[in-house]
Amino acid sequence: MTKKKDSKPKSQENPEQAAPEAEKTKAPAEDLAAELAKERDDLKDRLLRQAAELENFKKRSQREKTEFLKRANESITKDLLPVLDNMERALGHVDGNQENNSVIEGLNMIYQELVKVLTGHGLEPVKALGEPFNPEFHEAMMQEEDPEAEENTVIKELQKGYLFQDRLLRPSMVVVSKKPARAAGEEEQEVEIKVN
């Protein structure tokens, strides 16, 4: 007769063999958990980046909208400047002793109202007369000798310049002073410089 072998399960026959088999079944579960955790972290990172991009887009859009609204009236304001100039010229040529004072007063009131409306929207004149020449705001049409004014000072304003919401809309057309030329008999005065 043949001997019967014990019918023990293989895992119980050799305990050293059972541990690696358990680890093998445990390892895929741990690998899967690690992969899922990595994928979760990647998705979370992408979500945070997209949320930040969306927030930046909203801020940029708001800035662009604000800038557009700020500059929307610039074109029409620039078109109204010749009207403003002509009204100033007309009022400048009016003699106070004319018979139609009511017409002149009406024209002056219209001019004042136009200036008030444009100023309310951000129009302001460029300071020119008596100021040092600044090529950013002034356009020199000519130079004139003026012994009383400092060199490169605006002595006449031919056409007003304007800023619209702190941006140059039109430069002032100006006449700039220069030193008078020396007479033929006049000599340069020498200045002695002492060096210690």
Side-chain angles (χ1 to χ4, degrees):
M1 279 189 120
T2 37
K3 283 186 175 180
K4 284 187 175 180
K5 288 185 178 180
D6 291 337
S7 57
K8 289 183 182 176
K10 288 184 179 181
S11 62
Q12 289 179 359
E13 287 179 7
N14 191 350
E16 291 172 4
Q17 285 181 347
E21 284 180 20
E23 281 182 23
K24 285 180 185 176
T25 57
K26 198 181 218 185
E30 286 177 0
D31 289 346
L32 181 63
E35 282 181 36
L36 290 174
K38 184 178 184 282
E39 188 176 334
R40 179 201 63 212
D41 292 343
D42 289 346
L43 289 173
K44 184 177 179 183
D45 184 53
R46 282 183 25 202
L47 179 67
L48 289 173
R49 287 178 189 268
Q50 287 181 348
E53 286 178 16
L54 179 63
E55 190 62 33
N56 289 338
F57 173 75
K58 285 180 183 178
K59 288 177 183 177
R60 187 173 53 250
S61 295
Q62 185 62 37
R63 274 194 314 269
E64 289 172 357
K65 181 180 176 184
T66 303
E67 186 66 23
F68 174 77
L69 292 174
K70 190 175 181 183
R71 301 291 176 215
N73 296 327
E74 186 173 329
S75 171
I76 193 165
T77 302
K78 192 171 188 174
D79 291 342
L80 286 173
L81 289 182
V83 175
L84 194 62
D85 293 338
N86 289 333
M87 290 184 83
E88 285 178 357
R89 283 187 205 107
L91 289 171
H93 290 355
V94 170
D95 189 9
N97 296 329
Q98 298 213 353
E99 295 176 18
N100 296 329
N101 275 342
S102 59
V103 172
I104 295 167
E105 286 177 25
L107 183 62
N108 194 24
M109 288 171 56
I110 293 169
Y111 170 76
Q112 294 298 329
E113 188 66 26
L114 180 61
V115 169
K116 180 181 171 185
V117 168
L118 291 174
T119 302
H121 285 282
L123 185 72
E124 57 183 284
V126 171
K127 294 178 183 173
L129 205 56
E131 297 286 322
F133 176 73
N134 183 346
E136 292 179 16
F137 299 107
H138 307 136
E139 186 175 336
M141 302 310 289
M142 66 173 91
Q143 281 188 313
E144 280 186 10
E145 293 179 359
D146 190 342
E148 296 175 11
E150 288 186 35
E151 191 167 11
N152 289 329
T153 300
V154 176
I155 54 175
K156 291 181 187 172
E157 186 176 41
L158 303 175
Q159 185 180 46
K160 275 187 181 179
Y162 290 96
L163 297 169
F164 185 72
Q165 297 180 356
D166 300 325
R167 194 164 124 184
L168 185 65
L169 189 60
R170 181 177 78 183
S172 295
M173 293 185 185
V174 297
V175 177
V176 181
S177 66
K178 67 177 181 177
K179 288 186 177 181
R182 294 193 178 98
E186 226 178 282
E187 293 181 17
E188 280 188 34
Q189 293 180 353
E190 290 185 25
V191 178
E192 188 178 319
I193 300 173
K194 294 182 181 181
V195 179
N196 292 336

